[in-house]
Amino acid sequence: MATSLLRVCPPGELLRPLAVPERLLLGPGPSNVPRRIRAAGAAQLLGHMHPEVLQVMDEIKAGIQYAFQTRNRLSLALSGSGHCAMEAALLNLLERGDTVLVAINGIWGQRAAEIARRLGANVCELLKPPGEYFTPQDIEQGLVQHKPLVLFITHGESSTGVLQPLEGLGELCHRHGCLLLVDAVASLGGAPIFMDQQEIDVLYSGSQKVLNAPPGSAPISFSERAREKLLRRKTKPPSYYLDINCLANYWGCDGEPRRYHHTAPINSFFSLREGLALLAERGLESSWERHRANCSQLCQGLLDMGLELFVEEEKARLPTITTVRVPEGYSWKDITAFLMDQHGVEIAGGLGPTAGKVLRIGLMGCNSTWDNVERVLGALRDALQRCTRSRL
Ligand code: PMP
């Protein structure tokens, strides 16, 4: 019998139906995917060079330009998650030996520094304690001291819950001959950002937070200044998959006939298109306001329960992800497990420098609602009453 040749049997677990429970995802991402976006992802496949798919890609480009508030021609979505965009931004901008200044006040700066080191860049770190943000004076000192070609900074620091003010930073960087690279994975659509007006040179985000699409595609855009730096490169970017020049062609950003570069995750693009369409239909300003109002309601509810917010200054709190200190005597794991098991609600513990110290509650995109604020506060109240206090 032919099967006698097989030494590995069909796995029993794959012969059972797929099981996906209903959960309310109120952690730092991913957030729930509304029906319309799910339907787009479940559409029948088309070819990655079919005109209808290229049309969807053009629509995504227009959606990114709206969400980023930019007219940059070099705006597209990468086939990968937020990390893919971090890598793409850094490996296209930097060459071996280039100096990059990385603003570190949480895990994302740490990670950008790690990626840049792997690229052979000269990495200088600008440090702030987790929970704080950088002032223009902090940045200027770093620019004067290190004379970097690129500054990396995180707009929505999801490991600490900090919103980084960006006003004036682009102009400051440009005065010092430096490009401004901003991570907006956790903030795009939830807090104001104006790529062109704020003179941001490279901006990227992810699909699975405010945009409410599944993870796996990442909007990114490059300014003219950033494009000039790409043109001045002496060496090719070390990744073929993430070479922005090849991607620019596939995305129709260079005026040349589009050529195959890789087989794009077409259905992820359908979902991303719908996520951007929802944002466009509802309007950026109303999205920012909804996130602000619901976050402020959540913070008030947490304070009323006697809990302590990790980010002290109200204006520095990220409207999409709130960090609250783990109450004394409780274990964060017990609380998150209780919410999951008893209420079907996901919230998360800390990450990197906040691990073990905070709980992180995300209200992103369609999940940023009054009802969800009430639901997570109710579940937390229940957890604090019923989770046994850990032994101190
Ligand atoms: N940057 C920030 C600010 C993030 O919050 C995240 C995801 N939590 C990432 C980058 C990485 O994105 P991904 O997990 O989609 O790779």
Side-chain angles (χ1 to χ4, degrees), residues 295-354:
C295 171
S296 140
Q297 192 66 18
L298 173 68
C299 290
Q300 194 52 53
L302 294 168
L303 292 170
D304 291 347
M305 284 164 66
L307 297 176
E308 200 185 333
L309 299 174
F310 185 69
V311 181
E312 281 162 27
E313 226 181 303
E314 195 177 342
K315 77 168 176 30
R317 290 184 197 138
L318 181 58
T320 46
I321 297 164
T322 298
T323 41
V324 55
R325 287 187 191 275
V326 178
E328 214 174 308
Y330 288 90
S331 133
W332 70 269
K333 273 192 191 154
D334 289 348
I335 297 176
T336 54
F338 181 88
L339 260 69
M340 187 76 97
D341 297 343
Q342 303 298 317
H343 293 266
V345 173
E346 181 204 39
I347 66 166
L351 180 68
T354 59

Side-chain angles (χ1 to χ4, degrees), residues 19 25 62-63 77 119 121 139 143 149 164 173 177 187 192 201 232 239 277 284 298 313-314 365 385:
L25 303 180
L119 293 168
I139 302 290
L143 295 173
L149 291 175
Q164 170 64 47
C173 283
S187 54
D201 293 297
R232 285 198 307 272
S239 163
L284 263 180
L298 173 68
E313 226 181 303
E314 195 177 342
Q385 275 165 14

Side-chain angles (χ1 to χ4, degrees), residues 60 93 374:
I60 290 174
L93 280 182
E374 300 276 294

Side-chain angles (χ1 to χ4, degrees), residues 53-78 188 195 211 218-222 244 247-256 258 269-270 272-274 276-277 280:
V53 171
L54 300 181
Q55 170 69 31
V56 167
M57 291 164 74
D58 287 345
E59 291 163 7
I60 290 174
K61 269 166 48 176
I64 293 171
Q65 287 170 332
Y66 173 66
F68 284 11
Q69 287 297 289
T70 183
R71 297 194 195 283
N72 291 336
R73 244 172 26 127
L74 188 42
S75 302
L76 51 84
L78 298 160
L188 183 77
M195 184 171 191
L211 294 177
I220 192 166
S221 179
F222 290 74
I244 206 67
L247 290 165
N249 173 267
Y250 177 43
W251 278 85
C253 305
D254 65 359
E256 300 281 316
R258 297 184 186 199
F269 288 172
F270 291 166
L272 178 63
R273 189 255 182 225
E274 289 299 87
L276 288 164

Side-chain angles (χ1 to χ4, degrees), residues 43-252:
Q44 177 55 286
L45 206 54
L46 295 173
H48 54 286
M49 299 301 286
H50 291 190
E52 296 83 357
V53 171
L54 300 181
Q55 170 69 31
V56 167
M57 291 164 74
D58 287 345
E59 291 163 7
I60 290 174
K61 269 166 48 176
I64 293 171
Q65 287 170 332
Y66 173 66
F68 284 11
Q69 287 297 289
T70 183
R71 297 194 195 283
N72 291 336
R73 244 172 26 127
L74 188 42
S75 302
L76 51 84
L78 298 160
S79 306
S81 74
H83 275 87
C84 182
M86 284 180 102
E87 299 248 19
L90 289 163
L91 73 84
N92 279 286
L93 280 182
L94 296 173
E95 285 187 274
R96 197 162 275 283
D98 280 356
T99 297
V100 57
L101 179 62
V102 183
I104 303 182
N105 56 347
I107 198 170
W108 301 109
Q110 290 172 355
R111 212 153 271 192
E114 165 70 18
I115 294 171
R117 261 183 228 110
R118 290 179 187 218
L119 293 168
N122 171 33
V123 178
C124 303
E125 299 185 347
L126 196 59
L127 301 173
K128 272 272 166 171
E132 294 185 19
Y133 59 86
F134 296 87
T135 64
Q137 291 73 32
D138 298 327
I139 302 290
E140 185 149 34
Q141 261 178 16
L143 295 173
V144 169
Q145 187 183 346
H146 300 290
K147 302 189 178 29
L149 291 175
V150 176
L151 168 74
F152 172 95
I153 200 158
T154 310
H155 186 221
E157 222 303 334
S158 57
S159 68
T160 61
V162 168
L163 179 70
Q164 170 64 47
L166 296 172
E167 235 16 82
L169 298 193
E171 200 209 325
L172 197 54
C173 283
H174 295 151
R175 227 184 309 128
H176 289 271
C178 174
L179 297 175
L180 176 60
L181 161 57
V182 176
D183 176 320
V185 172
S187 54
L188 183 77
I193 195 161
F194 303 91
M195 184 171 191
D196 288 357
Q197 281 135 281
Q198 292 174 329
E199 297 188 27
I200 298 169
D201 293 297
V202 182
L203 181 62
Y204 64 81
S205 191
S207 53
Q208 78 274 28
K209 307 230 180 197
V210 171
L211 294 177
N212 291 117
S217 60
I220 192 166
S221 179
F222 290 74
S223 71
E224 270 312 302
R225 273 195 188 85
R227 248 170 47 81
E228 282 160 20
K229 167 102 173 70
L230 303 180
L231 292 174
R232 285 198 307 272
R233 283 189 73 105
K234 294 191 245 358
T235 55
K236 285 188 177 177
S239 163
Y240 182 81
Y241 190 60
L242 296 178
D243 183 330
I244 206 67
N245 286 319
C246 303
L247 290 165
N249 173 267
Y250 177 43
W251 278 85

